[in-house]
Amino acid sequence: RVLELTGCAASMVASSRSYADFTPEATFDIKKVDLHRLEEGPPLTATLTREEGLKYYRTMQTIRRMELKADQLYKQKIIRGFCHLYDGQEACAVGIEGGITLSDHLITAYRAHGYTLTRGGTVREIMAELTGRRGGIAKGKGGSMHMYTKNFYGGNGIVGAQVPLGAGVALACKYLGNDQLCVSLYGDGAANQGQIFETYNMSSLWKLPIIFICENNQYGMGTSVERSSASTEYYKRGDYIPGLRVDGMDVLCVREATKFAADHCRSGKGPILMELQTYRYHGHSMSDPGVSYRTREEIQEVRSKSDPISMLKDRMLSNNMASIEELKEIDIAVRKEIEDAAQFATTDPEPPLDDLCSHIFANDQPFEVRGATPWTKLTSTS
Amino acid sequence: KVQVWILSECVSLFQVNVRDALNQAMDEELERDERVFLLGEEVAQYDGAYKVSRGLWKKYGDKRIIDTPITEMGFAGIAVGAAFAGLRPICEFMTWNFSMQAIDQVINSAAKTYYMSAGAQPVPIVFRGPNGSSAGVAAQHSQCFAAWYGHCPGLKVVSPWNSEDARGLLKAAIRDDNPVVFLENELMYGVPFDLSEDVLQKDFVVPIGKAKVERRGTHITLVSHSRCVGFCLDAASVLAKEGVECEVVNLRTIRPLDVDTIEASVMKTGHLVTVEGGWPQYGVGAEICARVMEGPAFNYLDAPAVRVTGVDIPMPYAKILEDHSVPQIKDIIFSVKKVLNM
C-alpha cells in the first residue's frame, strides 16, 4: 500500500512538472577524436535535445535489459548454442544509428542483437529468435547470429566475412545512385583478417560509400589486443583510408563521429574508418565467463566510470533535461517490454516441421528434398 | 551460317563456339536488365583471361564491367553483398581453382543466407569460370569442383557441355534469383556447335535441373557432364559399329540432379556407366550410383553401375602423364564392354 502510494505520488510529481520545466536542449563537450589522414575531425561539442536523450536512453536501456534477459534464458537452457551479448557496447549501436538513417545500410558480425533492434527489429521477435520459435525474426531458422531486417544484413557468423559483404552493399548504393551508404562493422579480433584489407583496397579504388567501423572492445574472445595485433591502432590500419578513433562509451561522441563519417562518404570521397573504443561486460559468449583473461576489477572499473547509460543519464539529470522519476518510468516500461517479450519467446511454439526444408531457393517451384533416409521425401517451398 | 533441310523445312543453323555463346548470353542479359553486372580479374580491359567477356567493357563501360585486383575472397564477398542489396552480379573466377580462396563467401554468405533469414534475403548471384582439367596447367590449376559445390544445399550448380547448354544455362542462371555456380570448361571454349534460330532467341533459356538425352540408345546408359559428354558420344559412335547402342545423358545440371531422367534411362537400358573428369571419391558419379541404388531403377539393373573418372592423383604436367590422368574414350568403351559382359 505504501509502495502504491509512493509510486502514485511519484507519478503525480512527474506529471505535475510540465515539459516546460525541462531544458529542451543542451550542448556537451565531447572527447577529442584521434585523427588519421584527416585535417579536421568531428566537432568537440554535441547538442542533445530532450527527445533525443530520452530516445537514446530508452534504446540503450532496452538493449541492456534485453541482453541481461538473454543471459538468464541461456542459463536456463532456453536459449542454446552461441549467444554473444552486447551489454556495455550500447553507445555504439545507438550512436551510429543517430548519425545515419534507416535508409542507409548496416552489416555486422555475430554480436548483433543490439543492431537488430536499432535497425528496426522488435525485442519480441529478437528474443523469440534466440529461443528458436516461429515468431522469431528469422522464424527460428537463424538463431542469435542470423537476424535480418530491412537494410540490415545480419548477423554474420564467419569472422571478417561481413566486411566485404558490406562493401558490396556500398557498391550497390553507388551503382544505383541513391546517396545511401553502408556501415560495415567488425571487432578488434576480426581487424587482422586479410579479406578486410582486400576490402579496404577495393573500396578505396572504387570510392565506395562505406564506413568501416572497428568496435574495439579490447578482447577478441580471450585474446587481448596486445596479443593479437602488431598494431593496435585500428583506426590507422586502413593505411590510405582516413581514420578516427572515438570514445565508444559516449553515445554523443559516436553519433558526431558517425555524422562526420557519413558526410565524408556522401560527398563522394570514398571510404572512411572509425575505431570505437568500447567494452563488453560479458565474456565473448555465454560459454565464456570472461574473467580468465581479464580481471573482475577491470570490468568493475569500466562499469563504474564509463558505463554508457549512466553517462547519458548523468548528463541529462545534471542539465535538467529529464527527471529521475521520468527515467525510472522508462526503466519500468523497458522492464515490462522485456518481460512481455521473454514471455512470448518462451511460450510461442517452435517452427512447424513443414518449415524444415523451406527457404532454400527464392521464387522457385516447390521441390523435393531428401530426408535422413531414402524413403523420407520432404518438400521445400520458397 | 548454314541452311539445312529438316523434314522439308529449311532451318538456318549458325556456328557458334562455346566462348561466343557465353559472351552473347552475357551481352544480352546485361542489355536486358540494368542490375546485371560482371566483375572479376581481367574481365574488362583485357577482354577476359579467356576472352569470354570480349567486347563487353567497350560496350557497357566501367560501371557494369569491373576489373578487380587479385583478391578473390574480397571481391566474391563484394559480389555477394551487391546481390544482397538488389543488384544481379556475375562474379567470374579466372578458374574455379581460385574459388577456394573465396569459398566461404560462396557457401556461407551466398548459399545459406536465404535459409538463415527464413526467406527475407535472396541472393541473386552467378559465380562462373572454367572448371576441371585443361592442358598442361598442372595440379593446382586442374581441379574439378562439381562435387564440392554440388554437395551444398542453397546452391544451384550447372555444368554446360556445348554452346546451346552454355547459352541457355547462363541466361537461366543470370535470371535465377538464387546463387548459381556455373562450371565452364576451358577446352570447350573454342569448340563450335550449330545453333538454330530458336536457340539464338533472346529469351532462350535451358531450365536448370533438367538433363538432356543427347543420344538415344537401348543397351546401356552413359551419364556425364561437361566435356566428357563429347567423349561419351564419341565412344557411342565407336560402340555402335559393334552393335552396342548407348544412351548418352548430358546432366547439364549437377545440383539439383535430374534423377528422373537418369532413372528412366536406366530402367530402359538396365546398365549404367557414369563419366566425369573429377576424382572418384565422393564424386558426381558416386552420387548418381547411390541415387540409382536407392530408387526404382535398381531393380532394372542387370549389372552393377560403375564410374569412369579422373585418376585419383593430383594432375601431373608431362603430356603423357596428363593424358593418362583423365578419362579417355577407350576407358569409356572398356567400361561399357565390362558392364555388358562383352
Side-chain angles (χ1 to χ4, degrees):
Chain A
R1 183 78 182 126
V2 169
L3 286 168
E4 240 182 272
L5 283 171
T6 324
C8 194
S11 64
M12 274 174 64
V13 168
S15 59
S16 72
R17 290 179 66 184
S18 72
Y19 292 131
D21 290 337
F22 292 121
T23 317
E25 181 179 292
T27 301
F28 299 93
D29 290 333
I30 53 176
K31 239 188 233 164
K32 187 169 184 297
V33 161
D34 296 316
L35 300 175
H36 171 68
R37 288 192 190 267
L38 282 166
E39 292 302 315
E40 285 170 359
L44 295 170
T45 60
T47 302
L48 179 72
T49 68
R50 197 181 112 81
E51 284 73 38
E52 284 167 346
L54 291 172
K55 186 175 82 174
Y56 299 159
Y57 181 84
R58 185 179 178 130
T59 312
M60 289 200 285
Q61 193 68 288
T62 305
I63 297 174
R64 175 68 57 93
R65 298 261 133 234
M66 178 176 74
E67 297 295 80
L68 294 178
K69 177 56 76 175
D71 169 284
Q72 239 178 46
L73 292 174
Y74 194 92
K75 285 168 176 158
Q76 294 173 313
K77 297 192 196 298
I78 300 171
I79 297 177
R80 315 172 310 121
F82 292 132
C83 192
H84 308 88
L85 298 178
Y86 198 67
D87 50 311
Q89 299 186 212
E90 296 87 352
C92 296
V94 175
I96 289 169
E97 202 60 50
I100 58 174
T101 75
L102 282 172
S103 50
D104 291 314
H105 307 259
L106 190 142
I107 190 169
T108 186
Y110 46 74
R111 200 175 303 280
H113 308 158
Y115 289 99
T116 314
L117 190 82
T118 54
R119 288 258 105 198
T122 65
V123 182
R124 253 166 90 94
E125 54 192 1
I126 293 170
M127 302 220 72
E129 187 60 33
L130 293 175
T131 57
R133 307 303 166 101
R134 64 180 68 185
I137 199 167
K139 304 189 173 125
K141 303 289 268 288
S144 169
M145 299 182 289
H146 307 295
M147 304 192 190
Y148 302 78
T149 70
K150 184 169 191 292
N151 295 353
F152 173 57
Y153 307 89
N156 288 274
I158 307 298
V159 171
Q162 74 279 9
V163 179
L165 293 174
V169 174
L171 186 145
C173 292
K174 184 169 179 178
Y175 190 105
L176 296 168
N178 55 25
D179 205 39
Q180 292 160 11
L181 54 79
C182 185
V183 176
S184 200
L185 290 128
Y186 54 96
D188 49 281
N192 298 309
Q193 272 266 315
Q195 58 187 317
I196 293 184
F197 292 87
E198 295 185 11
T199 310
Y200 290 158
N201 182 44
M202 285 182 276
S203 303
S204 298
L205 274 178
W206 303 333
K207 289 205 157 27
L208 301 181
I210 178 169
I211 303 176
F212 293 102
I213 300 189
C214 177
E215 278 180 297
N216 177 4
N217 61 18
Q218 301 300 313
Y219 300 91
M221 211 155 149
T223 306
S224 68
V225 293
E226 296 80 32
R227 292 205 305 127
S228 75
S229 308
S231 163
T232 56
E233 295 184 303
Y234 297 105
Y235 72 114
K236 291 185 181 172
R237 299 287 289 282
D239 189 6
Y240 36 77
I241 297 180
L244 307 128
R245 182 165 56 190
V246 177
D247 178 2
M249 304 304 267
D250 178 353
V251 68
L252 293 180
C253 235
V254 177
R255 185 187 75 181
E256 293 309 309
T258 306
K259 278 187 183 163
F260 177 87
D263 283 341
H264 176 102
C265 278
R266 280 191 239 277
S267 65
K269 296 199 184 108
I272 188 166
L273 200 165
M274 270 165 57
E275 175 188 343
L276 301 179
Q277 294 187 300
T278 183
Y279 200 83
R280 53 166 162 82
Y281 295 144
H282 267 85
H284 163 71
S285 71
M286 284 305 298
S287 45
D288 170 27
V291 288
S292 61
Y293 49 86
R294 55 184 191 173
T295 62
R296 289 181 207 273
E297 288 74 37
E298 179 186 287
I299 305 169
Q300 193 41 45
E301 186 167 352
V302 176
R303 253 194 224 281
S304 55
K305 296 207 179 117
S306 315
D307 183 273
I309 300 175
S310 301
M311 192 190 301
L312 177 65
K313 181 174 175 179
D314 291 343
R315 273 181 170 149
M316 290 188 72
L317 291 177
S318 56
N319 282 270
N320 194 33
M321 296 180 82
S323 68
I324 287 189
E325 293 78 17
E326 189 175 18
L327 296 181
K328 266 206 185 89
E329 272 175 28
I330 293 179
D331 291 349
I332 291 168
V334 167
R335 227 175 274 261
K336 182 166 194 312
E337 187 183 353
I338 305 306
E339 277 309 320
D340 285 349
Q343 178 66 12
F344 175 69
T346 49
T347 54
D348 197 41
E350 288 188 287
L353 281 180
D354 286 342
D355 222 22
L356 180 69
C357 300
S358 58
H359 310 122
I360 298 283
F361 293 132
N363 298 326
D364 247 20
Q365 293 299 309
F367 63 94
E368 194 181 287
V369 172
R370 188 185 199 276
T373 78
W375 300 276
T376 327
K377 294 184 203 290
L378 306 168
T379 311
S380 177
T381 55
S382 288
Chain B
K1 175 178 151 176
V2 158
Q3 289 192 306
V4 297
W5 288 90
I6 296 177
L7 294 175
S8 79
E9 200 188 301
C10 188
V11 173
S12 297
L13 292 176
F14 300 82
Q15 246 201 11
V16 181
N17 64 29
V18 172
R19 175 186 292 111
D20 292 338
L22 295 167
N23 183 281
Q24 285 162 20
M26 281 199 287
D27 191 352
E28 289 165 19
E29 295 305 298
L30 282 157
E31 195 170 302
R32 177 181 179 268
D33 188 336
E34 278 176 355
R35 299 168 298 172
V36 176
F37 72 100
L38 172 68
L39 85 167
E41 294 154 12
E42 310 301 341
V43 297
Q45 297 189 19
Y46 197 86
D47 271 336
Y50 300 97
K51 306 301 178 218
V52 178
S53 56
R54 175 172 39 213
L56 296 180
W57 174 67
K58 204 160 166 209
K59 184 171 174 183
Y60 294 101
D62 286 332
K63 179 179 168 182
R64 303 190 64 202
I65 313 292
I66 303 176
D67 276 335
T68 64
I70 309 171
T71 51
E72 276 80 2
M73 196 166 185
F75 72 69
I78 283 178
V80 176
F84 282 176
L87 298 185
R88 304 187 72 91
I90 305 168
C91 176
E92 177 177 304
F93 291 120
M94 195 182 280
T95 77
W96 273 96
N97 301 284
F98 314 143
S99 76
M100 287 196 283
Q101 306 267 312
I103 196 166
D104 176 66
Q105 296 289 3
V106 178
I107 307 299
N108 280 321
S109 302
K112 296 177 185 172
T113 292
Y114 191 69
Y115 187 86
M116 292 191 294
S117 67
Q121 180 62 72
V123 191
I125 187 168
V126 176
F127 297 98
R128 51 161 289 274
N131 176 60
S133 62
S134 180
V137 293
Q140 294 178 343
H141 288 75
S142 305
Q143 188 167 332
C144 175
F145 290 87
W148 283 25
Y149 289 110
H151 187 59
C152 301
L155 287 181
K156 299 189 184 183
V157 180
V158 300
S159 184
W161 163 55
N162 63 13
S163 297
E164 179 176 320
D165 293 354
R167 176 182 169 76
L169 286 172
L170 188 52
K171 278 172 167 290
I174 293 168
R175 295 181 191 199
D176 202 304
D177 289 334
N178 297 288
V180 181
V181 163
F182 196 90
L183 305 170
E184 300 162 9
N185 186 293
E186 198 217 319
L187 296 173
M188 293 303 296
Y189 282 152
V191 179
F193 293 90
D194 293 325
L195 298 185
S196 69
E197 264 169 17
D198 283 347
V199 172
L200 291 168
Q201 292 304 304
K202 292 223 159 101
D203 286 329
F204 172 79
V205 290
V206 165
I208 293 177
K210 206 80 193 64
K212 184 178 179 206
V213 179
E214 297 288 350
R215 184 188 194 280
R216 299 250 165 230
T218 48
H219 298 128
I220 186 163
T221 300
L222 302 177
V223 180
S224 186
H225 72 100
S226 190
R227 187 154 178 258
C228 289
V229 174
F231 299 157
C232 289
L233 290 169
D234 292 341
S237 298
V238 174
L239 286 161
K241 297 195 187 106
E242 295 183 54
V244 176
E245 291 302 328
C246 300
E247 180 145 292
V248 177
V249 176
N250 172 8
L251 281 178
R252 286 179 156 178
T253 300
I254 303 292
R255 181 177 187 108
L257 191 64
D258 184 356
V259 182
D260 290 344
T261 299
I262 298 169
E263 282 178 338
S265 179
V266 171
M267 281 154 77
K268 187 172 79 170
T269 67
H271 301 84
L272 173 62
V273 172
T274 69
V275 184
E276 70 199 281
W279 293 318
Q281 282 203 210
Y282 313 108
V284 174
E287 174 64 18
I288 292 170
C289 291
R291 297 270 200 119
V292 166
M293 285 275 278
E294 289 179 344
F298 171 76
N299 291 314
Y300 292 76
L301 281 176
D302 291 333
V306 302
R307 305 163 292 162
V308 173
T309 69
V311 177
D312 203 12
I313 52 172
M315 181 68 70
Y317 167 67
K319 186 159 199 317
I320 189 173
L321 296 180
E322 187 182 62
D323 288 345
H324 285 83
S325 306
V326 295
Q328 302 181 28
I329 292 166
K330 64 174 172 65
D331 297 316
I332 303 172
I333 294 171
F334 177 79
S335 304
V336 166
K337 288 183 173 176
K338 275 285 208 184
V339 167
L340 290 174
N341 209 16
M342 286 167 64

